């Protein structure tokens, strides 16, 4: 089995038409800089936006595929089932302010929220944000919903069973945090109390989380860098026996932080202030920290987290 470096360098971005699927494409064909690599999540695959196309990179197969959409994607979120089947779906916000969900492996694509018909109602964030999928027990909606930030700094829940053009059937204000909300990081049991919390970015690029009783907590040492999208990824267990949030701080450090504010700098000054992701790059069931290098625009990862913290250019196993 061969291994090869995927070097991401400058140049013209090569993208595919919306709806097309390219198999066995190289990651280097679509990612030329941090602006082209808005990573989100996935132990397999890594989902990101290049240009306005959602793409999925499968490390072990070394294949890079476009994900079918019906409009240009601006913001995406972590993949989970939300539109009916057991397949994972990717929630995305378009440049027009609509919210969709599309199957990662399939053809189903559903408009969940029609931004054009909301009138004076809530308008969802359309840039430098994140969406998420999860179940939120306090909500009136049941099952998985899509969570987004609106332009007034509120956390909105979007019901896949609602009517996209009717705000009262499709949206519910989950919370109105005192410090605002600019993006949803994920729905996870961040504090290990047996109940999930909503981890979000406040209006000052500070990480916080929402408890089910409606209170919010600040994640100390959790200020994130923002340039080509928010420098944060889905909370995950990186093999250290607890949930940690991967992020890039204001000094370009690749870091992890837990809910108590215990911050671990994995590598200093190496990461672009753009999204990161927990990904099982090498198939050993332990997630690595994937990020964009701040100097060369290459996609790198850090392995053996908490041990050697070895930085590598993204290597994918291919045949």
């Amino acid at each position: 089995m061969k291994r090869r470096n995927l070097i991401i360098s400058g140049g013209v971005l090569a993208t595919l038409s919306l709806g097309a699927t390219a198999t066995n494409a190289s990651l280097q064909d679509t990612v030329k800089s941090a602006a082209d690599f808005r990573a989100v999540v996935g132990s397999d695959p890594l989902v990101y936006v290049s240009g306005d196309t959602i793409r999925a990179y499968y490390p072990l197969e070394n294949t890079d595929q476009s994900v079918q959409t019906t409009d240009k994607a601006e913001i995406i979120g972590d993949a989970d089932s939300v539109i009916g089947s057991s397949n994972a779906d990717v929630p995305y916000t378009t440049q027009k302010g609509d919210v969709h969900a599309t199957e990662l492996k399939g053809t189903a694509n559903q408009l969940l929220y029609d931004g054009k018909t909301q009138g004076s109602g809530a308008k969802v964030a359309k840039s430098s944000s994140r969406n998420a999928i999860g179940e939120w027990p306090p909500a009136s909606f049941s099952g998985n919903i899509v969570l987004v930030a609106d332009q007034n700094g509120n956390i909105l829940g979007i019901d896949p069973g609602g009517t996209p053009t009717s705000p009262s059937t499709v949206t519910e204000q989950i919370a109105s945090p005192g410090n605002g909300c600019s993006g949803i990081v994920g729905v996870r049991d961040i504090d290990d109390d047996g109940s999930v919390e909503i981890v979000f970015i406040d209006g000052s690029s500070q990480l916080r989380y929402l408890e089910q009783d409606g209170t919010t907590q600040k994640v100390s040492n959790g200020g994130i860098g923002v340039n080509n999208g928010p420098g944060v990824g889905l909370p995950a267990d990186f093999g250290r026996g607890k949930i940690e949030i991967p992020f890039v701080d204001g000094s370009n450090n690749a870091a992890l932080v837990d809910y108590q504010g215990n911050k671990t700098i994995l590598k200093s000054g190496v990461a672009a202030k753009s999204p990161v992701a927990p990904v099982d790059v090498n198939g050993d069931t332990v997630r690595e920290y994937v990020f964009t290098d701040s100097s060369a625009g290459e996609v790198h990862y850090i392995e053996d987290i908490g041990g050697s913290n070895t930085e590598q250019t993204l290597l994918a196993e291919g045949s």
Side-chain angles (χ1 to χ4, degrees), residues 122-140:
K123 300 286 189 179
V124 301
K126 295 191 291 185
S127 63
S128 195
S129 188
R130 281 179 55 96
N131 300 337
I133 293 175
E135 186 169 356
W136 187 241
S140 61

Side-chain angles (χ1 to χ4, degrees), residues 280-318:
D280 181 8
V281 171
N282 51 27
D284 62 358
T285 73
V286 178
R287 293 176 179 89
E288 283 75 45
Y289 177 111
V290 175
F291 66 100
T292 308
D293 172 71
S294 59
S295 59
E298 301 174 352
V299 180
H300 286 197
Y301 70 93
I302 298 171
E303 63 180 350
D304 191 22
I305 290 173
S308 62
N309 291 337
T310 302
E311 182 181 352
Q312 307 272 17
T313 300
L314 184 60
L315 298 175
E317 302 203 12

Side-chain angles (χ1 to χ4, degrees), residues 22 32 35 40 76 82 95 104 136 177 197 209 240 255 257-258:
K32 304 299 181 183
V40 178
I76 51 179
V82 75
Q95 296 167 355
L104 191 57
W136 187 241
E197 289 80 35
Y209 61 95
R240 306 201 317 162
V257 67
D258 66 16

Side-chain angles (χ1 to χ4, degrees), residues 5-297:
N5 288 314
L6 299 176
I7 306 298
I8 314 304
S9 59
V12 178
L13 176 67
T15 58
L16 300 174
S17 299
L18 292 172
T21 299
T23 305
N24 298 321
S26 170
L27 187 64
Q28 65 184 358
D29 293 334
T30 54
V31 181
K32 304 299 181 183
S33 69
D36 304 328
F37 188 69
R38 288 183 268 158
V40 178
V41 69
S43 56
D44 183 19
L46 169 66
V47 183
Y48 65 102
V49 171
S50 179
D52 49 30
T53 301
I54 301 174
R55 304 191 65 85
Y57 176 67
Y58 297 82
L60 298 186
E61 293 82 8
N62 191 28
T63 59
D64 189 80
Q65 303 177 347
S66 62
V67 177
Q68 179 167 289
T69 60
T70 57
D71 207 339
K72 297 177 180 180
E74 181 66 25
I75 298 168
I76 51 179
D78 52 287
D80 203 343
S81 176
V82 75
I83 55 175
S85 73
S86 59
N87 295 331
D89 309 306
V90 179
Y92 67 98
T93 301
T94 70
Q95 296 167 355
K96 297 182 293 186
D98 300 334
V99 179
H100 298 246
T102 186
E103 279 187 302
L104 191 57
K105 289 184 175 181
T107 60
N109 185 93
Q110 183 175 327
L111 173 65
L112 304 179
Y113 172 99
D114 187 339
K116 300 185 296 297
T117 64
Q118 301 306 312
S120 60
K123 300 286 189 179
V124 301
K126 295 191 291 185
S127 63
S128 195
S129 188
R130 281 179 55 96
N131 300 337
I133 293 175
E135 186 169 356
W136 187 241
S140 61
F141 302 141
S142 61
N144 277 354
I145 59 176
V146 176
L147 293 157
V148 302
D150 75 10
Q151 294 179 14
N152 294 321
N154 301 310
I155 299 174
L156 289 185
I158 299 177
D159 179 17
T163 302
T165 57
S166 175
S168 63
T169 68
V170 73
T171 62
E172 177 179 349
Q173 183 173 302
I174 301 298
S176 183
N179 298 89
C181 172
S182 60
I184 313 299
V185 179
V187 183
R188 290 289 186 271
D189 182 7
I190 192 73
D191 58 5
D192 197 28
D193 65 352
S195 300
V196 295
E197 289 80 35
I198 296 175
V199 182
F200 67 96
I201 309 158
D202 76 9
S204 300
S205 301
Q206 167 67 46
L207 292 172
R208 296 180 185 270
Y209 61 95
L210 174 69
E211 300 272 15
Q212 292 189 27
D213 64 4
T215 60
T216 60
Q217 306 293 336
K218 178 180 177 180
V219 178
S220 297
N221 300 313
I224 69 170
V226 178
N227 190 358
N228 297 296
V232 66
L234 186 72
D237 185 344
F238 288 84
R240 306 201 317 162
K242 62 178 179 178
I243 300 296
E244 296 176 284
I245 307 168
F247 74 109
V248 179
D249 68 17
S251 299
N252 297 94
N253 298 319
L256 300 174
V257 67
D258 66 16
Y259 79 99
Q260 294 177 310
N262 297 309
K263 178 180 177 180
T264 302
I265 294 177
L266 304 178
K267 289 289 179 179
S268 298
V270 300
K273 297 174 185 177
S274 60
V276 300
V279 182
D280 181 8
V281 171
N282 51 27
D284 62 358
T285 73
V286 178
R287 293 176 179 89
E288 283 75 45
Y289 177 111
V290 175
F291 66 100
T292 308
D293 172 71
S294 59
S295 59

